[in-house]
Amino acid sequence: MYSLRDNKQLWVGLVVFSAGILIYLAQTPFGYRSAQYRRTPCGNLSRSITETDMLGALRADGFSPRLLSRAVRRSVDADTSHVVPRVVHYVLYDVPKGVRFEFQHYLSFRSAGHFLKPQYIFLHGNVVPKTDWWNRTIGEVDNIYHVYRKKRTHINGKRVSFVQHLADVTRLDVTIDYGGIYLDTDMLILKSLDPLRVHALTLGVSGPKEISNAIIIAQKNALFLRLWKENYKNYKPAIWGHNSVTFGRKLFLLFPHLVHVEKEHLLRPTWKEVHLLYSLRGEFYNWSQSYSVHVSGEGKYRVPRTVEQLKGYNNTLGEVMRYIYFGSRKLLPVKGAPFTPK
Ligand SMILES: *[C@@H]1O[C@H](CO)[C@@H](O)[C@H](O)[C@H]1NC(C)=O
Ligand SMILES: *[C@@H]1O[C@H](CO)[C@@H](O)[C@H](O)[C@H]1NC(C)=O
Ligand SMILES: *[C@@H]1O[C@H](CO)[C@@H](O)[C@H](O)[C@H]1NC(C)=O
Ligand SMILES: *[C@@H]1O[C@H](CO)[C@@H](O)[C@H](O)[C@H]1NC(C)=O
């Protein structure tokens, strides 16, 4: 028989033990370490940096290198309500066909630079694009830095089947390690994200059963992201969205309080509503309240490659791209037949 006293000790023990676990979870970065950084040539060498340089740059501004992320955060906004640093992350790994960097990717960087006014735009990965549009990007958008990351072949001992999986993990690594705004290279920004930078984590919805990772607005070390990354210990290389969007949704159902979800204004029209993005039935999506738009359906529909093509592109995506490029959504006169999505 237990006495009351024994029971009490048991309970106290349990509480202390659970508290210990919780503190451990809250403080320890999960899983493997982030990839090593090293110097690498880039479009503009003077803009290519390493993690050491990053520390150096921050140290030069009077910040302690040991508190890198806090420094990044503090160096951004003096007020404490904006917990997400004003830093943008992109991830790019090479692919056998060669890295594409087209008009819409240039517009992604350009819109991020214009509307987010980031202190840094980091391009993480093992490759720098080589196209004209990339040259224009580094010529016109300030504060772009390439941060070399080795293209790993395995995730937790399992061979990577899709390069996207590696990019999925890297985006979690960088947002956990530094905080900031992760963007897919085809996310187009339409206004400041400051109203969302007050949340520890903001994600968008890309379908009824999907929490997307195409845009991640995160404070450093967000618990939700660490749990998401932890799930890669159970990496399933063969299933495309298993560890990314599908698991994100599961995690959200378990821990809805750990993430602010924007249903309408980050990713609509979603990939399931591409007819609205390309206005296939003459219907335009009203994006006047949107923070951003994701260029999906590109494999199936034509996206302008040139400024000339953009001028007469008569659909929602055309409006958005013109708004970023010309500052107005209005159609512009073209010679000959206008460019169409099909
Ligand atoms: C590279 O960037 C630096 C710093 O922004 C700039 O001064 C320099 O002109 C650039 N060089 C080239 C080749 O674009
Ligand atoms: C981009 O710029 C680099 C450096 O100025 C140059 O060597 C390269 O040819 C340019 N690429 C294109 C596609 O114009
Ligand atoms: C653009 O598309 C809309 C909807 O299909 C149509 O009503 C409008 O006439 C088109 N504008 C031009 C200039 O073709
Ligand atoms: C789009 O929505 C805004 C407010 O949400 C509204 O003021 C505007 O009139 C709408 N535009 C169109 C073309 O329906």
Side-chain angles (χ1 to χ4, degrees):
M1 284 287 283
Y2 288 115
S3 71
L4 185 67
R5 207 177 103 85
D6 287 342
N7 253 336
K8 223 184 200 168
Q9 280 177 343
L10 188 69
W11 280 110
V12 169
L14 261 178
V15 166
V16 169
F17 179 72
S18 330
I21 295 250
L22 278 177
I23 289 168
Y24 171 80
L25 287 182
Q27 291 190 340
T28 318
F30 285 110
Y32 39 78
R33 304 274 314 148
S34 307
Q36 280 280 300
Y37 296 111
R38 71 170 168 79
R39 184 177 288 281
T40 188
C42 125
N44 183 338
L45 258 181
S46 72
R47 294 178 178 209
S48 174
I49 61 158
T50 64
E51 187 172 38
T52 327
D53 295 334
M54 234 161 103
L55 294 169
L58 291 165
R59 191 188 282 138
D61 290 339
F63 295 101
S64 158
R66 264 178 298 167
L67 299 172
L68 173 66
S69 313
R70 244 169 87 189
V72 167
R73 190 168 78 216
R74 280 199 198 146
S75 71
V76 175
D77 280 356
D79 73 292
T80 50
S81 62
H82 288 116
V83 295
V84 176
R86 198 183 284 279
V87 167
V88 170
H89 303 280
Y90 287 98
V91 172
L92 202 59
Y93 288 109
D94 66 352
V95 287
K97 278 188 279 179
V99 167
R100 286 175 59 244
F101 196 90
E102 306 285 357
F103 193 13
Q104 76 264 27
H105 307 122
Y106 155 85
L107 289 178
S108 175
F109 277 73
R110 179 163 151 169
S111 62
H114 181 76
F115 291 110
L116 307 182
K117 311 231 171 330
Q119 187 106 358
Y120 303 102
I121 298 178
F122 294 124
L123 178 64
H124 304 264
N126 70 336
V127 67
V128 172
K130 292 203 164 54
T131 62
D132 271 339
W133 282 116
W134 173 252
N135 279 8
R136 274 198 68 174
T137 303
I138 58 170
E140 293 174 23
V141 183
D142 287 335
N143 305 327
I144 300 178
Y145 295 87
H146 183 242
V147 181
Y148 182 88
R149 270 170 189 259
K150 208 173 146 208
K151 187 177 172 188
R152 290 180 300 149
T153 52
H154 291 74
I155 295 173
N156 277 302
K158 290 180 199 150
R159 182 162 276 280
V160 176
S161 50
F162 298 96
V163 69
Q164 290 90 337
H165 289 168
L166 196 53
D168 285 339
V169 175
T170 304
R171 75 190 67 186
L172 293 177
D173 280 340
V174 299
T175 45
I176 291 168
D177 288 351
Y178 305 111
I181 298 163
Y182 166 81
L183 299 175
D184 271 3
T185 53
D186 49 10
M187 283 298 304
L188 304 176
I189 302 295
L190 296 167
K191 63 179 180 184
S192 165
L193 292 171
D194 283 0
L196 300 177
R197 286 174 53 237
V198 300
H199 305 289
L201 175 66
T202 302
L203 296 170
V205 173
S206 56
K209 292 219 162 66
E210 288 168 20
I211 293 280
S212 174
N213 59 1
I215 176 167
I216 300 172
I217 303 160
Q219 184 176 17
K220 179 190 170 178
N221 256 329
L223 182 54
F224 189 93
L225 297 182
R226 282 186 286 141
L227 293 168
W228 203 340
K229 183 171 148 184
E230 178 72 356
N231 177 251
Y232 279 86
K233 283 185 175 158
N234 180 26
Y235 173 49
K236 294 223 181 356
I239 311 175
W240 200 83
H242 175 81
N243 298 86
S244 56
V245 287
T246 313
F247 186 74
R249 174 71 184 175
K250 279 187 197 157
L251 211 47
F252 170 66
L253 293 175
L254 283 170
F255 305 109
H257 58 291
L258 292 181
V259 55
H260 170 77
V261 172
E262 270 293 325
K263 285 208 181 96
E264 298 291 329
H265 305 315
L266 289 176
L267 293 161
R268 288 202 67 197
T270 68
W271 61 273
K272 288 193 173 149
E273 308 169 308
V274 280
H275 65 281
L276 288 175
L277 188 62
Y278 297 95
S279 305
L280 301 174
R281 304 167 202 156
E283 207 180 333
F284 281 64
Y285 178 76
N286 185 343
W287 49 273
S288 64
Q289 306 288 310
S290 297
Y291 290 106
S292 54
V293 162
H294 195 198
V295 184
S296 47
E298 210 211 332
K300 224 167 153 199
Y301 303 106
R302 297 196 300 169
V303 173
R305 294 270 173 271
T306 65
V307 176
E308 253 338 276
Q309 290 177 343
L310 175 59
K311 286 182 181 172
Y313 196 53
N314 187 12
N315 55 27
T316 305
L317 181 58
E319 286 188 344
V320 165
M321 290 174 75
R322 277 190 298 277
Y323 178 67
I324 294 168
Y325 191 81
F326 296 110
S328 161
R329 68 175 71 188
K330 289 206 183 81
L331 283 168
L332 293 163
V334 285
K335 295 183 206 99
F339 185 72
T340 58
K342 287 208 259 198

